Amino acid sequence: MTLEEASNLKAYQTKEYMEHEIFTTLKDFMEFYNALSFNVIGFITPGISLGIFNIDTYVYSSIEGTLDSINLVLEKGRINDAFALTRKYHDAVIMDIYKAIHIKKHHSLENWIVKDINDWANGDGHLPWYEKMIKEIRSWDILEKLHTYFDFDGHFAKIRKKCNSHNHYNSFQYMIMNDNEIMNHHRETELDQLSICLKDIFSLHFAYCISLNAPYIMASDYVDALDCGMTPDKDSQYWVAPFAQTIFDKYIKSRRPKLAAYLKESCGMQLE
């Protein structure tokens, strides 16, 4: 780097900031949601009248877009905006979990269309507020064991409070985290905290996603064999797509080994 180039660097563009692991984490998560969006295309979303396609394809591609936005604003040193967008990511995850549980609770032959979800999908209504969605998620006894791995009232409430504080400028310190011209020695610390928030929200989403819709992470071998007129390998419908196994190894097994053990035992797929 020349002296002129160095003089043109913004105050936030330190080596520690630009090489922070959060940028790798965001890239990993974006690639996961992109692959997941493609992987679920062949499944039909029950309970809605939008035809034969999976709305989760677009839920996951939208989440990928939110993570891309977080990455873009962080590249410009706008940490305050990144926390505000992380609140949006959290909202999307809770919405997706609630939607899946609500459909499973209310969809049946007698109730083929789940009105609340169908109205939302068709733009004729909206989903409940956050607190009601959380209450319904936690009340579903089938996933009672999974609920115990996530402290909704404690840790996740603190994540939401932290993001809200940035979103609503609850402190002057939060506001100046969006100023990339001034020297601010708290930037790397804030990135550390944001990275933890993102990883924990992702762990929540991954765990509930595969617990509610395990085939979403199915490898393509089974369907590929059928498409070719071949007999699929035994149990290949339970094989896990490489993109899901990779993210599971890196962000679930390494950070939440007890949760990882539970998911391997309970989800019905051959997670390693």
Side-chain angles (χ1 to χ4, degrees):
M1 181 184 298
T2 66
L3 183 61
E4 181 181 358
E5 288 172 334
S7 65
N8 289 330
L9 288 177
K10 299 287 186 181
Y12 71 92
Q13 291 176 315
T14 63
K15 184 176 186 294
E16 292 75 16
Y17 185 97
M18 302 302 291
E19 296 182 0
H20 195 280
E21 54 88 21
I22 195 171
F23 294 105
T24 298
T25 297
L26 284 165
K27 180 176 179 291
D28 290 342
F29 290 172
M30 283 187 284
E31 289 177 352
F32 170 80
Y33 282 111
N34 178 274
L36 184 63
S37 175
F38 180 80
N39 216 48
V40 306
I41 289 176
F43 297 94
I44 299 172
T45 303
I48 64 172
S49 60
L50 286 178
I52 306 176
F53 75 97
N54 192 316
I55 65 172
D56 288 343
T57 291
Y58 304 100
V59 171
Y60 301 143
S61 63
S62 176
I63 290 175
E64 179 196 358
T66 298
L67 293 168
D68 188 32
S69 296
I70 294 172
N71 186 69
L72 288 171
V73 297
L74 285 178
E75 287 179 346
K76 297 294 185 181
R78 312 297 188 184
I79 297 176
N80 172 265
D81 283 347
F83 270 103
L85 286 166
T86 299
R87 154 70 192 273
K88 183 182 177 184
Y89 174 39
H90 188 208
D91 285 346
V93 166
I94 296 301
M95 176 277 297
D96 186 47
I97 297 170
Y98 167 83
K99 170 181 60 62
I101 288 177
H102 195 77
I103 288 173
K104 287 185 178 294
K105 287 175 66 175
H106 297 284
H107 177 65
S108 65
L109 289 175
E110 296 74 26
N111 189 46
W112 192 252
I113 299 298
V114 180
K115 186 178 186 307
D116 295 350
I117 305 301
N118 188 61
D119 286 350
W120 170 76
N122 284 282
D124 297 324
H126 58 78
L127 298 181
W129 296 109
Y130 173 83
E131 290 75 14
K132 186 176 180 180
M133 288 195 286
I134 287 291
K135 183 177 181 180
E136 181 159 343
I137 290 169
R138 297 172 68 179
S139 69
W140 205 43
D141 293 340
I142 292 176
L143 291 181
E144 183 178 6
K145 177 66 174 178
L146 178 60
H147 301 330
T148 65
Y149 289 96
F150 298 98
D151 184 6
F152 290 101
D153 293 328
H155 182 65
F156 281 91
K158 290 178 181 177
I159 289 176
R160 192 169 181 81
K161 183 178 180 180
K162 173 80 169 177
C163 293
N164 281 341
S165 292
H166 275 275
N167 192 43
H168 299 295
Y169 298 128
N170 287 346
S171 166
F172 177 66
Q173 294 300 318
Y174 295 132
M175 178 172 283
I176 64 173
M177 292 309 301
N178 236 32
D179 189 329
N180 66 4
E181 298 284 350
I182 62 173
M183 293 299 300
N184 189 329
H185 299 295
H186 299 291
R187 282 197 178 93
E188 283 73 35
T189 300
E190 288 295 306
L191 283 187
D192 292 341
Q193 294 181 10
L194 180 58
S195 181
I196 292 171
C197 291
L198 288 167
K199 290 173 184 175
D200 288 344
I201 295 169
F202 178 82
S203 296
L204 173 72
H205 198 197
F206 183 91
Y208 276 88
C209 179
I210 70 170
S211 296
L212 290 162
N213 293 297
Y216 276 11
I217 60 168
M218 183 175 70
S220 65
D221 302 73
Y222 182 82
V223 174
D224 289 346
L226 293 176
D227 288 343
C228 294
M230 301 168 59
T231 301
D233 290 337
K234 183 180 178 181
D235 293 335
S236 57
Q237 68 268 36
Y238 305 117
W239 294 354
V240 174
F243 77 89
Q245 185 65 57
T246 298
I247 210 82
F248 178 74
D249 291 342
K250 188 170 182 179
Y251 293 100
I252 311 298
K253 283 170 67 174
S254 63
R255 301 183 69 247
R256 302 287 305 275
K258 291 182 179 179
L259 172 62
Y262 166 79
L263 293 174
K264 288 170 64 175
E265 180 182 348
S266 65
C267 79
M269 303 298 287
Q270 295 179 3
L271 281 166
E272 297 178 357

